[in-house]
Amino acid sequence: MHPGLWREIWILIGIGVLSLFFGALTGRPFLIAACGFGFYIAWTLRHLRNLHRWLLDRRAGDIPEGGGLWGEVFDEIYKLVKQASRRQDQLSGMLARFQKAASAMPDAVVVLSQESEIEWANRSAAGLLGIYYPRDAGVRLLNLLRVPGFAQYLERGEYAEPLEITSPDNRDIFVSIQITPFGSSQKLVVGRDVTRIARLEQMRRHFVANVSHELRTPLTVLGGYVETLQQMDQIKMEDLRKHLATMHEQSLRMQRLVDDLLMLSKLETAPPRTQGEPVDIAVLLKSLMEQGTLLSGENRHDITLEADSSLKLLGSREELQSAFSNLINNAVRYTPAGGKIHLSWRATGDGAEFAVTDTGEGIAPEHIPHLTERFYRVDTARSRASGGTGLGLSIVKHVLLRHEATLEIESEVGQGSTFRCVFPEQRVAHA
Ligand code: ADP
């Protein structure tokens, strides 16, 4: 038996023995015993009342104090209360930390009650799902998130696959919604911004469609000629040469497209080189100018070059050659016969720049921001007729990006254009 209980039994025995002793002395044993046990019962009831009072309103005061077995009972209760309060502090700390972390998450997080009412939401839920906490607490989620397909998704109860929706506040934002049931029929709704992935997917689809479209025309022409030649019993040498020339032109067109695609893919996948070899741009431009003159042919453009030969560029010779030749070829292709094309390579205050200026047809301002997009052309027929793939300026943009440079375009319809590649100082080596 517990020692405290033994003590109480001994107190009761003591009260009995003392009552007998003083009862024998005074001749009133029952009265003395009644007083002794009455006192003990009153003392016990007093502790019981204190305990009851404290249990009714725990916050009113400290745990009562007492002697004997009651003291031990109160001590144990005190320890239990302390433990419980420590655990509660830990839990509230944890909850506060969890809410803080969930609030800072870039994903939208919404906790729903059994009735699908909003219990809590983080800050990102405002931007992605248009749910503002605490303003929307207690409101049914379906009353706020009125987007096609969401009501069926929420009510179906089958959440293995996420649902993709557009944000109710901004149609340009795509959100992937994933619901996880937890506790007693509550739900955790997580919304992730997948705009970038959705755009990439859209770009990929457009890209595949564009490439297929670009390849289909030369392939159809080639196929047509081959079929015609197969069905012919006799053919004049002159006609055959004409047919073969067209077939050759179409195969060159496909070759250019594939070369440009490979170049783009190389530029996108190769890791960026921080510096590179010093490239003699003056020498490179001289050979590119000769190629430009060759391309100009009968059109006899007046091509001039002004290059600072003391100025070298740190980078990839192959990539720079590809970018600059695209710009020079464009100037030749989009400038009428006899037009002027000027190439310049010079130092600027904080780096260097290569510029191609032509007196060509020029470009309307609304097209300029889109020129570096793949397959973007102002006049598709004109571009194709002059052997364009629609990828030239896209390649230029990627090469410049890899050389920490920017492309600046100035143009006026009917007057001409200037394409400027601006390189930062750290890319320039002065002889
Ligand atoms: P493309 O193979 O069609 O020339 P690019 O990407 O090189 O493709 O150029 C995109 C479009 O920009 C061209 O189709 C053309 O409309 C326009 N463009 C590029 N350079 C010039 C220029 N020097 N003058 C006028 N238009 C140009």
Side-chain angles (χ1 to χ4, degrees), residues 194-249:
V194 290
T195 313
R196 215 177 76 84
I197 300 168
R199 290 256 158 79
L200 280 176
E201 180 54 28
Q202 201 177 37
M203 266 169 65
R204 193 191 61 81
R205 277 199 299 265
H206 282 166
F207 182 70
V208 171
N210 275 324
V211 173
S212 317
H213 182 73
E214 291 292 327
L215 283 172
R216 202 174 49 195
T217 319
L219 273 175
T220 312
V221 176
L222 266 176
Y225 274 104
V226 170
E227 220 176 279
T228 315
L229 288 174
Q230 274 174 334
Q231 286 163 4
M232 282 175 138
D233 295 329
Q234 279 184 339
I235 186 166
K236 276 199 269 173
M237 206 53 203
E238 192 189 335
D239 287 342
L240 181 64
R241 275 213 194 91
K242 241 198 303 187
H243 290 342
L244 286 176
T246 315
M247 288 165 79
H248 182 55
E249 197 186 296

Side-chain angles (χ1 to χ4, degrees), residues 148-159:
F150 183 69
Q152 294 92 310
Y153 180 66
L154 182 69
E155 273 150 20
R156 204 171 51 211
E158 167 56 52
Y159 308 122

Side-chain angles (χ1 to χ4, degrees), residues 326-327 330-331 333-335 358 360-363 371 373 376-379 383-384 387-394 411 417 419:
N326 265 308
L327 291 176
N330 277 357
R333 286 167 44 230
Y334 297 108
T335 301
D358 64 53
E361 59 198 49
I363 307 153
L371 291 182
E373 290 169 15
Y376 189 90
R377 287 134 154 167
V378 177
D379 179 345
S383 155
R384 286 207 184 119
T389 58
L391 297 171
L393 292 181
S394 212
S411 191
S417 322
F419 287 75

